[in-house]
Amino acid sequence: MRAARLIKMVLLLQSRASMTAAELARELEVSERTVTRDAQALSEAGVPVYADRGRTGGYRLVGGYRTRLTGLARHEAEALFLSGLPSALREMGLDDAASAARLKVSAALLPSLRDASHTAARRFHLDAPGWYHDPVTPELLPAVAEAVWDDRLVHARYRRGPGAEVERELAPYGLVLKAGVWYVCARADEDFRVYRVDRFTAVAVSGTRFERDEDFDLPGFWEERAAQFARSILRTEVTVRLSEAGVRRLPHTVDRAAAEEALAGAAGPDAGGLRTVVLPVESADVAYEQLLALGPEAEVLAPAGLRERFADTAERLRDLYR
């Protein structure tokens, strides 16, 4: 651990003109006294670390010294490509590797380019989790991530539903973070499937590596399965008459693809400018919650039970605001 810390200290000093003991202690997550001892150790090893005394002093490298320890290890290079996802790196246990990789890249850059990482960070941030809930990191995510990076088989126990668990041997090909929820795309019994990581109750990473199918395209596979899932949950239909404003707002209220498909297949506006569409929905209850947001811009024509529910709601709203 100390050797890695010493290397990190040299890289920090190489990437910046000077750093105080407090700054180094914060970056290295040690005390200022440890920084002093480490600087002494580096000096004794022939690394020209110089300490400026005084209020504006700090540590620096003398004579344009440059280390040759800037070559990226494989896990550091892989983590670097995910460096725009700090929360995801942290949850997978890769934040240390990404930090080391960024330092090495920064140390290898020309002095005029060393502020590039700070410039980008001030202008772009990716916030993956969805709104209105606190993301919970699955306890077994680091183990699954380890298996994904190393192409190792895992023996897993998976919760299908209340009180129902199954055991599977999986070849985990890739991880997907969707709106704050982690999924693993894995091969099981010669078929590719998707599993929610938070539903794993046990994961044992095998010492056996699997042979990866080089034709497997993770983004393409996920897009296809996500579209299949979205279609599979739309199990019923409602008939709705929409105003012009309702037509514009419908794709923002219900499933966008379902709305666009329904509008594309609908007849043109009637004499009053209203359009009637047959809309696939998950259930009557879900349709009620979604279409209620359209207010008077949508009239439910069928099924009869849902129309009656909207009529009752309209009556109660009228009584409330009378």
Side-chain angles (χ1 to χ4, degrees):
M1 289 294 292
R2 191 190 186 200
R5 190 175 71 241
L6 292 174
I7 292 172
K8 187 173 182 179
M9 184 174 179
V10 173
L11 292 172
L12 284 167
L13 293 174
Q14 183 173 314
S15 62
R16 307 181 194 181
S18 177
M19 294 183 71
T20 66
E23 290 172 336
L24 283 167
R26 186 167 55 251
E27 290 281 354
L28 299 172
E29 298 181 351
V30 296
S31 67
E32 291 185 32
R33 180 173 296 182
T34 299
V35 168
T36 301
R37 289 197 297 264
D38 285 352
Q40 180 68 29
L42 287 170
S43 180
E44 292 173 356
V47 178
V49 177
Y50 180 76
D52 288 319
R53 305 294 180 184
R55 189 163 54 114
T56 59
Y59 291 93
R60 60 186 176 86
L61 293 175
V62 179
Y65 176 86
R66 299 185 65 82
T67 178
R68 296 183 180 181
L69 299 173
T70 52
L72 292 178
R74 180 177 180 83
H75 70 289
E76 293 170 345
E78 291 169 338
L80 186 61
F81 285 100
L82 293 170
S83 59
L85 293 165
S87 61
L89 283 167
R90 184 168 55 253
E91 292 175 7
M92 288 189 290
L94 295 173
D95 47 343
D96 285 342
S99 176
R102 285 192 295 269
L103 273 175
K104 289 182 178 181
V105 171
S106 180
L109 291 174
L110 293 172
S112 60
L113 300 177
R114 286 178 187 162
D115 66 340
S117 61
H118 302 290
T119 302
R122 283 195 292 263
R123 287 165 172 79
F124 177 77
H125 174 68
L126 178 60
D127 184 11
W131 291 101
Y132 312 123
H133 70 276
D134 294 327
V136 178
T137 303
E139 182 180 350
L140 298 173
L141 176 61
V144 176
E146 176 191 348
V148 169
W149 286 116
D150 290 342
D151 292 344
R152 294 187 182 275
L153 294 171
V154 298
H155 299 280
R157 198 159 61 242
Y158 187 76
R159 187 176 66 254
R160 272 187 171 174
E165 291 189 355
V166 295
E167 293 189 6
R168 292 283 187 271
E169 182 179 70
L170 306 175
Y173 269 62
L175 284 163
V176 175
L177 178 60
K178 170 71 171 178
V181 179
W182 284 97
Y183 299 86
V184 60
C185 302
R187 191 178 66 214
D189 301 327
E190 302 305 318
D191 187 25
F192 286 100
R193 302 176 185 177
V194 176
Y195 300 87
R196 278 185 61 144
V197 177
D198 59 3
R199 291 184 182 171
F200 285 116
T201 58
V203 171
V205 180
S206 170
T208 304
R209 283 188 166 87
F210 63 88
E211 186 175 347
R212 178 175 286 267
D213 181 354
E214 296 302 327
D215 292 331
F216 178 78
D217 173 25
L218 180 60
F221 172 78
W222 176 259
E223 183 179 0
E224 179 185 345
R225 288 302 173 94
Q228 289 177 0
F229 174 76
R231 289 193 298 269
S232 71
I233 64 174
L234 303 179
R235 300 187 180 94
T236 189
E237 292 181 340
V238 298
T239 304
V240 189
R241 184 183 293 141
L242 299 165
S243 67
E244 184 178 344
V247 169
R248 291 197 305 270
R249 291 167 53 189
L250 185 67
H252 305 286
T253 306
V254 301
D255 180 84
R256 176 178 291 274
E260 291 175 349
E261 185 176 338
L263 289 169
D270 61 17
L274 303 177
R275 294 186 66 183
T276 300
V277 302
V278 179
L279 181 69
V281 293
E282 185 175 346
S283 67
D285 287 340
V286 172
Y288 172 79
E289 299 290 343
Q290 293 174 334
L291 296 175
L292 195 61
L294 295 179
E297 308 304 330
E299 177 190 0
V300 173
L301 304 178
L306 184 60
R307 179 178 174 85
E308 291 172 4
R309 188 173 177 182
F310 271 94
D312 178 65
T313 299
E315 290 283 350
R316 289 190 288 122
L317 282 170
R318 186 187 63 180
D319 292 343
L320 183 64
Y321 288 98
R322 178 174 292 170

